[in-house]
Amino acid sequence: MQEIKFGFYEKGPDVLLILTGVGGTTKGYANKYERIAQAAMQKFNLSVVVATTPSGAWMQAEQCLNKIMDFVRSKKSDGCRVYAMGHSMGANLVLWHFAKFPEIKKVLAVNPVLTVNLHLFSRLQNIKKPMQVVFGENDESCKFAEMLPKNIKVDVLVGVDHSFTKHLDLFIQLPEKYLLASF
């Protein structure tokens, strides 16, 4: 498994955690993660951790999320609240294992890859923490959205593909709209 890389933006006591898709960078295409971090810091006084998702992460998902949460804990004090967002395979990692981490309060999964280990999503059916999944209607996994447990809120964005091609500004607004609005 490749090394996980981290971007860290220090601000307030609580954290917005962002997991990229496989092969993503800590800044993201057109600095999208850095732009999300700046908005979260300004509007919500959050520190931000961006973690890359290494190839093969789906085979060692729990180990990856443990490493990421160890990094968060090394930067922030006990008792901090974490709001986690993941894109693509990063969304899978967050959804599959976030319930093991009491500091993670809410989850936003953007275009999770439902064709990988779909059975792992069934264990989320009794989770009480807020979970939001957002699909672009042109994302390959969108057609499997009805297979997710009913306690997961799902929203479909018209005209959007997996990578938010031509919709970068919409992607940047997702954490504020779906994850932090009630913060």
Side-chain angles (χ1 to χ4, degrees):
M1 181 172 64
Q2 296 172 333
E3 177 185 355
I4 299 170
K5 294 185 172 107
F6 295 96
F8 180 63
Y9 303 83
E10 179 74 42
K11 183 74 174 179
D14 295 326
V15 176
L16 170 59
L17 171 62
I18 303 171
L19 277 68
T20 71
V22 171
T25 67
T26 59
K27 295 204 185 286
Y29 171 78
N31 294 320
K32 66 184 176 185
Y33 297 124
E34 186 172 50
R35 291 168 62 191
I36 290 170
Q38 294 301 323
M41 292 167 63
Q42 277 185 336
K43 294 179 182 179
F44 302 99
N45 193 38
L46 292 171
S47 292
V48 180
V49 173
V50 181
T52 60
T53 301
S55 63
W58 63 274
M59 294 172 49
Q60 299 173 327
E62 188 171 5
Q63 179 184 354
C64 283
L65 199 53
N66 280 331
K67 283 183 180 182
I68 292 166
M69 289 305 295
D70 285 346
F71 180 86
V72 170
R73 289 184 194 111
S74 76
K75 297 294 184 186
K76 301 310 289 182
S77 64
D78 288 342
C80 79
R81 294 176 293 181
V82 177
Y83 303 90
M85 171 189 178
H87 178 244
S88 191
M89 185 53 70
N92 288 50
L93 296 181
V94 168
L95 280 172
W96 289 341
H97 297 291
F98 83 97
K100 296 174 184 171
F101 302 96
E103 58 265 66
I104 298 178
K105 303 302 181 193
K106 292 172 81 176
V107 169
L108 169 61
V110 181
N111 286 334
V113 184
L114 297 186
T115 56
V116 176
N117 293 333
L118 185 58
H119 68 283
L120 291 178
F121 292 99
S122 66
R123 65 178 161 190
L124 300 174
Q125 62 192 356
N126 296 319
I127 303 294
K128 302 294 184 218
K129 290 183 185 182
M131 295 175 281
Q132 174 75 53
V133 174
V134 175
F135 290 105
E137 76 170 339
N138 298 326
D139 180 78
E140 185 65 29
S141 290
C142 186
K143 62 187 171 191
F144 301 109
E146 71 276 354
M147 297 176 76
L148 289 171
K150 299 302 178 210
N151 59 323
I152 298 176
K153 293 180 185 175
V154 176
D155 200 4
V156 176
L157 304 175
V158 177
V160 175
D161 63 8
H162 184 77
S163 300
F164 282 72
T165 306
K166 300 180 182 177
H167 299 280
L168 184 60
D169 288 337
L170 177 60
F171 182 87
I172 291 166
Q173 296 166 3
L174 292 176
E176 184 173 346
K177 180 177 180 182
Y178 292 102
L179 192 60
L180 305 174
S182 62
F183 178 70

